[in-house]
Each structure stands twice: as C-alpha cells, then as structure tokens.
Amino acid sequence: MSNYSAPSLKEAFTQPTSVWAIAFAATVSFMGIGLVDPILPAISVELHATPAQAMLLFTSYLFITAIAMLFTSWVASRIGTRSTLLTGLALIVIFAGLAASAGSVNGIIGYRAGWGLGNALFISTALSAIVGATAGPSAGAIMLYETALGVGMAIGPLLGGLLGSISWRAPFIGTATLMAIGFIAILSMLTPEKKPAPVHPLAAIRGLKDPALRTLSATSIFYNFAFFILLAYSPFPLEAAGKARGIHVGAMGIGWVFFGWGLALAITSVIVAPVLTRKLGLIRTLLSTLAGLTVLMVLLAVFHASFTAVIVLIICGGLFLGVMNTALTETVMEATALPRSIASSAYSGVRFFGGAIAPAVAGPLAASAGAASPYILAALSLIVSAVMLVLGRQTLHRVTRPHLPATDEAEAIAAGDR
C-alpha cells in the first residue's frame, strides 16, 4: 500500500508565479486541440472548401504532432526545458497568426502543420517544467497541470464557437494572442535549468521494440482513429441535423455541444477513471470502455439525422473517451520498463498517427457512402483496437496490481498528452 496522501487544494494552487505561467500556457495549448472544431463548417462555406478539405486542418496538425512527439525528448535534452517551451510557444504564435491571415483552406492546412510542431514541443515538456519549478511537493503541481488540461479541453471548443461566431479567423487570432502572453510570462518568470541528461535522437523509435509498447501503440492507433472521427467529423452531421429541424446551429452552437463533450472528458479522466481502474483493473477497464464506445458509434450511425440524439451521444462520447485516455496512458506507463519520458514520447507519437488519418478518411467516405459511414468505420476501428489488446495481452504481464501509487498515476496520466 502507498503512503501517499492526495494534495490539498491549497498545496495545488499555492505555487510560484513561474508555475502559474506554465499552467496558463498549458491551458491555452490544450484549448488548441478542439478550438477549430466549431468553425469547420464556417471555413468550409466561406473558403469554398468541401467538408473533407476542412477536416484536413486536424490531419496536418496531428500528423506533424505525431512525428515531432517522437523526437521532443531529444530536443529538450539538447536545448533544455525552458528553451523547448519557448520554441514551442513561439511556433504556435507565428502559425496561429498566419492561419488567421490565410486566404484559402490549403493555406490554413499548411499553417496548422507548423502549429502542430509547436504544440508537440510545448506539451511534451510542460509537465516536467511545472514539476521542476514548483516550490513544494510535486503532487500539488501535477494536480494543477491536470486542472489546466481539463479546463483547456473543455473551454477550447467553447472559445472557438464564441470567437468563431464573429469570424472564422477570430479563434486563430485569439490563440496567437493568448500564447504570446504565455511566451512573455515564461520568458520573464521561468529561469533556465541545469543542462539535462542527453537523450539519443532515436530513443523513442527504438522504444517501440518493446513488445508491450508495440501492443499498446497498435491499440492506440485504432482507438485514436475513432476519437478523431467523433471530434473532427461530428460538427457536420450535427449542423445538418439542426438544419433539417430549422435550427441554425452555427459556431456557437457547435461550441456549446463540444464544451459539454470536453467537460465530460475532463471529469471522467481525472475523477472516474482512477476509480474504475482500481476496481476492474486496467485491461478490463480498457476492454469495457472500447465496447461502450463501439456501441456509441453504432448509435451515432443509426441516429445521425436526429439533432437531439447527436448532441447527447457526442457528450456521452466524452465520458467514455476520458476513461479510455487515462486508462490507456496509465497502462503504457505500467507495461514497460522503459524510462517514462521515452515510453510516453513513443506512445504519444504513434497514437497521433491514428488521429491524423481519421479526418482525411471521414470526409471522402461520408461524401461517397453516406453520413453514417464514418461512424460505422469508427466502430470497426474500435473493434480492431480491442482485438489488438486481446492478442497482445500476454506482453502486458507487468500490468498487475497493486495499482500505481496516486502520485505516479497522476504523472502517468499527464505524461500521455491526451
């Protein structure tokens, strides 16, 4: 049994200004994941792009994020945590600003790729920076980081909808402005650290030789494919279902729906998932959640034309996704003897490839096979994910009880970068 006791709110929120500066920037960075979701239909209409082209804003962002994640631990070991954070923030400011000025959807797609590089550099080092800058126990800083993640995931779509109702360019301008403030705060408040230990450039890729990490990476690719079908494709059937009922959904309406999705994800990832994994174990929690998500995707395929059903199912999807993200990340951290930074870098990089493929497939598939087809494909992908986990279960012999101590669990959850 662990002697760990959870940090109090006072411990978590009594932090140096440098920690708050990183937490603020982390919140904005996590907002960027769902920020463009509410404005995809508006971009499609105003820039005369197909839904498939608009969804490529996720593909370019996630594809570059995936590649960069495989090398961020090496970059941080070469230039230091503070410099990596500042480089990532600077890239986000530059490319978010350029996206706001773009005159075509192809231009935004390209700029989102640069944004993805910056986001990978920043997010991959934010947790270690917060822990290193805290004046007290690391558990309090980790709780603050988790809070920043949850707030960012929930507020991102809402902010995107609010600003997107003004103009599709406004969310990009807002992100660039907030990240510029974060850059200045970290530059002025975070002091350079000692030279870090060197990491091999291919450390994360070599880490994939580990059988357990390969099993979980394969599981995560197919799971994240379904995750981003739900996130990137759903605004289009949601708007179509609203239009059929004479309701103008708009960016603000989509933003509110995905605010509910993000809030549900944040609640279950931090509060519900640890309870389930303690009671059921990690593998059973993963398989049960994959089964629930599969059913949900089938229901979305059946009821995609029902405005009320689509809203309810999207928000319920957030509940399942929060549990899955936390349980899968913790399983990665328990399943291998690799250093956590390397395991997290390899796993995060591979999983984002699934997310990058999903939007590129969903649009053309919906156009050729009907609005329900992306959800059917997502359900099949989740079944494959479960099969990968079952077939590779023998490689996960390290994933046993006793459960991770709560402080290690929090670090594992945060390290995985949802």
Side-chain angles (χ1 to χ4, degrees), residues 207-220 350 388 395:
L208 292 172
K209 294 179 180 178
D210 184 286
L213 191 56
R214 283 203 307 271
T215 292
L216 295 171
S217 295
T219 300
S220 73
V350 171
M388 292 290 109
T395 68

Side-chain angles (χ1 to χ4, degrees), residues 137-181:
S138 63
I142 291 168
M143 180 182 283
L144 182 61
Y145 179 87
E146 283 293 300
T147 302
L149 189 152
V151 170
M153 290 293 284
I155 292 181
L158 187 61
L159 181 65
L162 180 64
L163 295 176
S165 60
I166 301 170
S167 166
W168 66 262
R169 300 179 190 272
F172 297 133
I173 296 172
T175 299
T177 301
L178 291 172
M179 279 306 205
I181 295 171

Side-chain angles (χ1 to χ4, degrees), residues 117-350:
L117 174 60
N119 214 44
L121 290 171
F122 176 81
I123 289 178
S124 65
T125 50
L127 175 62
S128 60
I130 282 181
V131 172
T134 185
S138 63
I142 291 168
M143 180 182 283
L144 182 61
Y145 179 87
E146 283 293 300
T147 302
L149 189 152
V151 170
M153 290 293 284
I155 292 181
L158 187 61
L159 181 65
L162 180 64
L163 295 176
S165 60
I166 301 170
S167 166
W168 66 262
R169 300 179 190 272
F172 297 133
I173 296 172
T175 299
T177 301
L178 291 172
M179 279 306 205
I181 295 171
F183 180 92
I184 294 169
I186 290 176
L187 181 65
S188 58
M189 297 177 188
L190 188 64
T191 57
E193 74 284 4
K194 295 180 181 178
K195 185 176 178 61
V199 173
H200 195 278
L202 301 180
I205 296 175
R206 290 175 174 176
L208 292 172
K209 294 179 180 178
D210 184 286
L213 191 56
R214 283 203 307 271
T215 292
L216 295 171
S217 295
T219 300
S220 73
I221 285 178
F222 291 99
Y223 158 64
N224 273 271
F225 181 92
F227 181 113
F228 281 96
I229 288 285
L230 181 64
L231 180 61
Y233 172 66
S234 293
F236 294 98
L238 175 62
E239 187 178 58
K243 187 176 181 181
R245 286 185 53 179
I247 299 171
H248 175 66
V249 180
M252 195 68 240
I254 297 172
W256 276 114
V257 172
F258 278 92
F259 169 73
W261 168 86
L263 190 62
L265 186 151
I267 290 171
T268 54
S269 65
V270 178
I271 298 174
V272 178
V275 175
L276 289 178
T277 55
R278 284 191 180 92
K279 289 186 175 181
L280 301 178
L282 287 166
I283 304 302
R284 289 165 105 187
T285 298
L286 289 173
L287 291 172
S288 299
T289 308
L290 285 170
L293 277 169
T294 302
V295 172
L296 184 134
M297 291 297 180
V298 172
L299 291 174
L300 275 168
V302 173
F303 297 107
H304 70 274
S306 169
F307 184 62
T308 302
V310 171
I311 292 174
V312 171
L313 290 170
I314 287 173
I315 295 173
C316 289
L319 297 173
F320 285 107
L321 296 173
V323 173
M324 188 68 192
N325 286 345
T326 295
L328 187 54
T329 299
E330 187 184 336
T331 304
V332 170
M333 295 301 115
E334 280 202 40
T336 175
L338 292 169
R340 287 190 174 181
S341 62
I342 294 174
S344 177
S345 180
Y347 158 72
S348 296
V350 171

Side-chain angles (χ1 to χ4, degrees), residues 40 43-44 46-57 60 99 102-112 168:
L40 289 180
I43 288 175
S44 180
E46 294 189 30
L47 295 182
H48 309 291
T50 65
Q53 288 175 311
M55 281 187 281
L56 290 177
L57 269 66
S60 61
S104 69
V105 70
N106 288 332
I108 305 176
I109 291 169
Y111 295 139
R112 280 281 287 178
W168 66 262

Side-chain angles (χ1 to χ4, degrees), residues 70-97:
L70 296 173
F71 302 98
T72 49
S73 58
W74 171 70
V75 172
S77 76
R78 298 289 296 176
I79 66 175
T81 298
R82 180 175 180 266
S83 295
T84 304
L85 289 173
L86 292 173
T87 301
L89 288 172
L91 288 171
I92 295 172
V93 171
I94 291 169
F95 285 103

